[in-house]
Amino acid sequence: MLFEIGSTILVGGLTGYAYLKKNGSASNDADKIQKIFANSDWNGVNGETIRIHRKSKFNGGTEYVYQLPLGFDRKKIENGKHILEDGLNIKQKLFDFELSDFFNIKWDKDFLKQLKNILLQKKVVRKEIELKFDGMLRIKVYTESMKDQYDWNESYLRNGTWSVSIGNTRKGVVRHDFDEHKHLIIAGATGYGKSAILKLIVTSLVLQQPDNVNLHLIDLKGGSAFQRFKDLKQTKNFTREPSEAQGILEEIQAEMNQKYTEIVDQGFEDIKESGRKERHFIIIDEAADIADDPGCMDIVTDIARRGRGAGYYLIYATQYPSSQSIPQQTKRNIPSRLCFVLDDATASNTALGQTGAEKLPLIPGRGIYKNVKSQVVQTPYISNGEIKKQTKPHIVIKPRKERETVEPTEREESGSNTFEFEEM
Ligand SMILES: Nc1ncnc2c1ncn2[C@@H]1O[C@H](COP(=O)(O)OP(=O)(O)O)[C@@H](O)[C@H]1O
Ligand SMILES: [Mg+2]
């Protein structure tokens, strides 16, 4: 028996139809995968089919192992991952509930509300897959979706290091070690987590290396992400004005040149070898705003090219790192990328050097982190309140005494009051 529930009653972000089946789905995942292989024409050069070798269960899903025919182009499957994923989700029950959940509904005027509550309480089930090629093709089918949000806590910190948590996978936390991989490009459509991860990176660096990190924060396109860090003792430069960016970048470049000469003159290859502890981070949010300013971009390119030796690391965030918004040479010097969802495969190729970001689910914080290999991650989320709490001990400009008696957040959010600060 099949029930269909019209989408009009699925409010609160739940759309589409819920198909309820009492006795589970019609065919199993192994059959579906085999059908998708056949229908997609994923065969060997002489038409040989992909054959299942082994199937095994693990906690949270099933792994299917296949033998690939000789001469099989694995790109066909890598690029068609979404076809497999969609195929496995077709006609699956969308919600994880039983008919018995509905037995207690009272069929009065509130029945729609009761129904909605049942639907909202239940988790949306979307199977996700992971592909691996190691002579065989391994397809892991996860029966649970990856979590939509991982709240940050102090266990993400690695004090005394330059290794910052960038994302969560099913297997654990992925970190970007700035002393190893240096610069980072962050791309992604508006509203999917660029500024949020920048705030987390800044907070992590301040907490992990309070005495050694130097921040140069450039917040463009009317952004307000870095405003909260401007009074930290680690913040050496802060601006929200494209017109001020060039002056700041020129200063940083001159300082970087001097540091580099000192390090090399002392006979060291780079800052790490020299044993110097300080590092500089030039962090630009909405960088496209200065992209057509050659005065700024020449310096950005120079930092990307030569900054690593002197300990000047660039974090460059933009909606879409096209050749217009980021020079080719800068991109070549920054292999590490974190990319949230993008409009299409071309944008993904431009940002990541591969497709995939266009197929990410529309979940803020869901991205592809590419370093040596690329993996789907959910960036840890830190609230503004938590940032404020964590960074407070590092603030060097303090509000006037009398301000402490009023509720600061209320005044801040109303936007109609001006603050007065005095230097300590
Ligand atoms: N990792 C995350 N987990 C959960 N929610 C997130 C995450 N990152 C961002 N968000 C949500 O998405 C909103 C937009 O993120 P933001 O970083 O401002 O996007 P962008 O800078 O790319 O336009 C945030 O205000 C927050 O509510
Ligand atoms: Mg932003």
Side-chain angles (χ1 to χ4, degrees):
M1 191 162 37
L2 181 77
F3 291 84
E4 264 187 22
I5 299 176
S7 61
T8 45
I9 62 165
L10 300 179
V11 291
L14 302 176
T15 52
Y17 294 93
Y19 293 88
L20 309 179
K21 263 189 174 182
K22 202 177 172 187
N23 297 317
S25 53
S27 71
N28 60 40
D29 285 350
D31 286 349
K32 284 184 178 170
I33 293 172
Q34 209 70 56
K35 271 191 196 128
I36 296 164
F37 286 158
N39 293 341
S40 310
D41 219 5
W42 290 340
N43 298 317
V45 277
N46 298 318
E48 309 94 318
T49 51
I50 301 174
R51 280 208 308 258
I52 188 141
H53 176 68
R54 184 160 55 78
K55 161 183 156 179
S56 56
K57 283 207 180 306
F58 62 87
N59 197 5
T62 308
E63 184 181 60
Y64 301 89
V65 183
Y66 295 89
Q67 233 163 2
L68 291 174
L70 267 179
F72 182 82
D73 178 7
R74 65 188 240 185
K75 279 242 169 322
K76 282 188 199 169
I77 293 187
E78 274 168 345
N79 293 335
K81 182 174 170 236
H82 63 290
I83 300 177
L84 273 169
E85 210 157 59
D86 290 347
L88 287 173
N89 283 295
I90 281 174
K91 289 202 179 158
Q92 290 291 331
K93 49 183 184 175
L94 284 179
F95 301 97
D96 186 17
F97 43 37
E98 305 291 328
L99 273 183
S100 56
D101 289 333
F102 298 94
F103 288 166
N104 294 329
I105 288 184
K106 288 196 197 76
W107 297 99
D108 56 15
K109 66 177 174 29
D110 279 339
F111 93 92
L112 279 181
K113 209 164 142 197
Q114 297 171 53
L115 196 55
K116 186 185 124 189
N117 284 341
I118 292 170
L119 296 176
L120 289 176
Q121 273 165 19
K122 293 291 176 174
K123 214 168 356 148
V124 176
V125 175
R126 179 168 166 86
K127 290 186 179 177
E128 290 171 355
I129 64 168
E130 215 176 76
L131 300 176
K132 200 173 155 193
F133 295 88
D134 58 356
M136 305 291 257
L137 161 66
R138 293 171 186 274
I139 304 179
K140 276 191 171 164
V141 179
Y142 293 94
T143 42
E144 292 256 330
S145 313
M146 205 163 143
K147 265 170 70 177
D148 288 1
Q149 187 163 328
Y150 289 81
D151 286 323
W152 181 89
N153 59 56
E154 286 171 21
S155 72
Y156 281 97
L157 295 173
R158 291 287 174 274
N159 289 339
T161 76
W162 299 103
S163 165
V164 169
S165 59
I166 268 301
N168 301 275
T169 66
R170 284 198 172 80
K171 291 182 202 117
V173 177
V174 177
R175 315 186 72 84
H176 181 87
D177 187 342
F178 284 98
D179 243 12
E180 201 177 317
H181 302 296
K182 327 285 175 183
H183 321 296
L184 177 66
I185 289 177
I186 299 175
T190 302
Y192 285 94
K194 295 185 298 295
S195 300
I197 190 67
L198 287 175
K199 287 190 285 184
L200 177 62
I201 292 173
V202 170
T203 307
S204 308
L205 291 170
V206 167
L207 299 180
Q208 292 182 181
Q209 294 276 12
D211 299 326
N212 303 320
V213 69
N214 295 278
L215 300 166
H216 309 274
L217 307 175
I218 303 179
D219 207 350
L220 300 171
K221 213 172 152 195
S224 56
F226 299 152
Q227 185 78 14
R228 69 202 77 247
F229 302 120
K230 78 179 188 347
D231 296 327
L232 298 184
K233 84 166 193 261
Q234 293 84 356
T235 302
K236 299 295 170 287
N237 283 296
F238 167 80
T239 186
R240 299 174 60 194
E241 301 301 326
S243 57
E244 284 176 11
Q246 185 168 348
I248 291 178
L249 288 168
E250 278 168 1
E251 258 175 52
I252 296 169
Q253 188 185 34
E255 220 188 279
M256 176 183 87
N257 287 341
Q258 195 195 332
K259 283 262 160 63
Y260 194 65
T261 312
E262 281 169 25
I263 290 168
V264 174
D265 283 353
Q266 285 167 1
F268 299 112
E269 200 175 300
D270 61 15
I271 188 151
K272 216 169 150 182
E273 197 183 283
S274 79
R276 289 182 185 221
K277 291 222 163 82
E278 88 276 7
R279 300 288 185 272
H280 288 257
F281 287 80
I282 300 90
I283 309 183
I284 312 178
D285 196 7
E286 297 293 358
D289 247 22
I290 51 164
D292 51 8
D293 180 343
C296 288
M297 292 317 286
D298 285 353
I299 303 173
V300 166
T301 303
D302 193 37
I303 297 171
R305 196 162 54 87
R306 298 188 311 123
R308 54 188 64 231
Y312 283 69
Y313 303 150
L314 182 70
I315 308 177
Y316 189 95
T318 176
Q319 279 181 43
Y320 174 27
S322 61
S323 48
Q324 282 81 40
S325 68
I326 172 165
Q328 234 7 66
Q329 212 197 348
T330 310
K331 262 172 71 176
R332 265 203 300 276
N333 281 296
I334 313 184
S336 303
R337 313 279 161 89
L338 173 64
C339 189
F340 299 102
V341 70
L342 282 168
D343 283 352
D344 51 40
T346 315
S348 177
N349 246 324
T350 312
L352 275 177
Q354 66 184 56
T355 59
E358 78 285 6
K359 292 175 202 131
L360 285 167
L362 301 176
I363 299 168
R366 186 64 55 90
I368 297 176
Y369 173 66
K370 185 177 177 191
N371 212 323
V372 183
K373 61 175 186 171
S374 60
Q375 46 195 330
V376 175
V377 298
Q378 178 69 29
T379 55
Y381 182 68
I382 185 166
S383 68
N384 289 336
E386 186 66 24
I387 293 176
K388 194 169 175 181
K389 189 177 122 197
Q390 294 286 343
T391 55
K392 206 171 175 186
H394 304 283
I395 290 177
V396 286
I397 298 177
K398 218 175 167 242
R400 272 186 202 282
K401 262 265 171 313
E402 64 263 30
R403 273 204 59 243
E404 289 177 357
T405 56
V406 297
E407 180 49 58
T409 43
E410 257 180 48
R411 299 191 68 190
E412 219 176 305
E413 276 163 16
S414 77
S416 57
N417 296 292
T418 47
F419 289 122
E420 285 183 70
F421 293 100
E422 65 179 12
E423 289 196 7
M424 272 168 66

